[in-house]
Amino acid sequence: MPRLFTGIEIPPEIALALSSFRGGLPGARWIDPENYHLTLRFIGDIDERMADDVTSILGERRQRAPVTITIDGLDSFGGGKPRAVFARTSGNGELNELQAEQERLLRQVGLNPETRKFTPHITLARLKHVSPVDVADYIATRGHFPRLTFTADRFVLYSSRASVGGGPYVIEAAYPLS
């Protein structure tokens, strides 16, 4: 039973720049740069028949232009119980439209709607039992964040194996944006 999600790959030069933010936060499990990605839609553990339906329906999406993505800072999820540090992206209507289209398509094949609000980001570290003060200090001391921009000319369907998170991820299918 594969665990699937759709996402955008992070170019190697952007991943290298993001990897410079690794370290300096006790208790963080840092994601390997080759596993950085921007999740569009988490699908979850599904059977092979549904995986085939997902692969097929994603190929039926409307054609779109490549999407420009700008990464402009660091942030965290979890508030008083932080669970991740991530690189955030600035508002991007095209990215939101791409995600919304995937949501509609995946509902057509019988998947339940995603309950979480789409917040485009690139997870840099997973946190467990890390002080919110330590997370705030980590982010505050890295306030000089270089604006990073790239153009995504495709999105992919990733699979992951049950693990402690952070990869490894395998590209099962690629869908061009052109």
Side-chain angles (χ1 to χ4, degrees):
M1 177 178 309
R3 174 173 292 161
L4 299 177
F5 63 96
T6 62
I8 291 180
E9 302 157 286
I10 306 304
E13 65 277 8
I14 301 292
L16 180 63
L18 291 174
S19 72
S20 70
F21 292 93
R22 293 168 56 100
L25 183 57
R29 284 189 339 244
W30 297 98
I31 306 298
D32 291 331
E34 61 270 15
N35 289 315
Y36 291 163
H37 64 276
L38 190 155
T39 299
L40 292 168
R41 174 55 155 85
F42 181 73
I43 297 166
D45 295 320
I46 56 176
D47 63 34
E48 292 295 333
R49 183 167 173 245
M50 179 61 80
D52 289 341
D53 290 347
V54 165
T55 303
S56 178
I57 195 88
L58 288 173
E60 295 177 16
R61 85 234 172 269
R62 75 176 185 83
Q63 289 300 311
R64 304 184 162 275
V67 177
T68 299
I69 298 168
T70 299
I71 303 163
D72 64 1
L74 298 175
D75 209 337
S76 66
F77 286 126
K81 290 187 176 184
R83 62 184 187 279
V85 168
F86 63 89
R88 71 170 178 259
T89 65
S90 351
N92 185 313
E94 294 91 2
L95 191 60
N96 289 332
E97 289 172 14
L98 177 62
Q99 190 279 334
E101 179 182 40
Q102 288 182 15
E103 180 66 33
R104 284 189 300 277
L105 290 171
L106 294 172
R107 286 184 190 185
Q108 287 178 23
V109 295
L111 291 175
N112 291 327
E114 175 60 69
T115 57
R116 296 171 290 190
K117 179 182 180 283
F118 177 57
T119 305
H121 67 280
I122 301 153
T123 301
L124 302 179
R126 299 194 193 288
L127 310 175
K128 194 171 186 178
H129 309 297
V130 176
S131 156
V133 172
D134 288 345
V135 173
D137 287 345
Y138 168 83
I139 291 170
T141 59
R142 285 147 183 86
H144 178 65
F145 189 94
R147 204 171 170 90
L148 304 169
T149 301
F150 69 97
T151 300
D153 59 4
R154 71 181 193 171
F155 72 89
V156 298
L157 179 64
Y158 285 106
S159 67
S160 66
R161 305 297 171 245
S163 67
V164 183
Y169 302 119
V170 175
I171 295 174
E172 299 294 340
Y175 304 91
L177 299 171
S178 57

